Amino acid sequence: DTEVTQTPKHLVMGMTNKKSLKCEQHMGHRAMYWYKQKAKKPPELMFVYSYEKLSINESVPSRFSPECPNSSLLNLHLHALQPEDSALYLCASSQASGPNTGELFFGEGSRLTVL
Amino acid sequence: QQQVKQSPQSLIVQKGGISIINCAYENTAFDYFPWYQQFPGKGPALLIAIRPDVSEKKEGRFTISFNKSAKQFSLHIMDSQPGDSATYFCAATPGGGFQKLVFGTGTRLLVSP
């Protein structure tokens, strides 16, 4: 069982809708990530929060809006998306400091379809 | 410089055979090299990782070989099993705080029974 929980598992939305993806972890990690993964491609980093502060925004369009309400929760607010935004959205967490381990803990993802 | 090149794109191996996936990098700032395994419908999960001052690391049937001078590293899966059928991503990270992973392009492995 994954220790990073993402909801919903599947989401279908129209281009005018507003929806949110949610992620929760209880491993005490202070870094949380959003990745986007298209079919047969590697995950692409979108955002990184470290100690609840946005540390990396990989030039993601403003129709994606991340939020980190506390150290356990990470949201991704979606608005006015395009069909090409359809993808698997992965949340991950890790230690935010200390020795490099190369380890991210991924959730199972939210499969988003934009009509 | 940020790229990690991975080959082959796909691989079919018979049960009991050896699966080999290769990766190469340019950025000498990378200081940790993990491999991730992803099954359909699941998120990636760390399989095994290596530091650049180690030439080989083995965990069960999985071995990473690392050649620092050539900036190449590879994953060997011994006695491959149908349950190993998945997509494998090599990655590299420069470290320092949170994980800034750069993923390879992925290899889809199919182990035939």
Side-chain angles (χ1 to χ4, degrees):
Chain A
D1 287 342
T2 182
E3 296 183 76
V4 177
T5 304
Q6 290 188 242
T7 56
K9 290 192 185 303
H10 300 275
L11 178 63
V12 180
M13 60 186 290
M15 290 190 285
T16 58
N17 291 159
K18 284 185 181 181
K19 298 286 185 183
S20 296
L21 305 180
K22 298 184 183 300
C23 175
E24 186 170 9
Q25 58 89 14
H26 293 288
M27 293 179 281
H29 291 159
R30 299 302 297 276
M32 296 188 75
Y33 310 71
W34 280 115
Y35 280 84
K36 173 182 177 180
Q37 187 177 30
K38 295 282 229 179
K40 300 183 182 181
K41 296 291 186 182
E44 295 176 36
L45 182 63
M46 300 175 71
F47 303 103
V48 181
Y49 275 83
S50 180
Y51 298 99
E52 296 84 69
K53 293 192 188 316
L54 184 63
S55 297
I56 291 182
N57 176 341
E58 292 286 11
S59 302
V60 179
S62 59
R63 58 186 183 268
F64 296 91
S65 176
E67 178 196 20
C68 189
N70 60 53
S71 61
S72 300
L73 294 174
L74 186 66
N75 298 322
L76 186 62
H77 303 297
L78 313 171
H79 173 55
L81 295 192
Q82 304 297 310
E84 59 265 28
D85 296 322
S86 298
L88 181 68
Y89 288 84
L90 292 162
C91 174
S93 69
S94 77
Q95 300 288 353
S97 60
N100 192 2
T101 63
E103 185 164 24
L104 291 181
F105 292 81
F106 283 91
E108 294 193 346
S110 293
R111 174 76 60 189
L112 173 66
T113 303
V114 181
L115 301 177
Chain B
Q1 256 208 336
Q2 276 294 94
Q3 281 186 325
V4 177
K5 296 180 180 178
Q6 183 172 348
S7 63
Q9 188 173 8
S10 62
L11 183 60
I12 300 175
V13 174
Q14 284 197 330
K15 179 181 175 182
I18 302 173
S19 304
I20 303 174
I21 305 171
N22 300 299
C23 288
Y25 66 97
E26 289 293 327
N27 189 347
T28 55
F30 291 141
D31 75 349
Y32 219 79
F33 299 87
W35 285 87
Y36 280 79
Q37 180 188 55
Q38 185 175 25
F39 293 105
K42 302 290 186 183
L46 180 68
L47 184 64
I48 187 172
I50 197 168
R51 298 192 320 265
D53 56 348
V54 176
S55 61
E56 186 175 281
K57 183 175 181 180
K58 184 176 181 180
E59 290 185 1
R61 296 184 294 108
F62 300 91
T63 299
I64 301 178
S65 298
F66 191 87
N67 185 330
K68 187 174 181 179
S69 60
K71 296 183 197 168
Q72 295 175 346
F73 57 111
S74 60
L75 176 69
H76 290 62
I77 306 174
M78 311 300 287
D79 187 27
S80 299
Q81 299 296 312
D84 297 331
S85 298
T87 300
Y88 292 81
F89 295 100
C90 62
T93 174
F98 53 83
Q99 302 297 319
K100 306 178 194 72
L101 289 182
V102 177
F103 283 98
T105 47
T107 296
R108 300 182 78 187
L109 172 65
L110 177 64
V111 181
S112 59

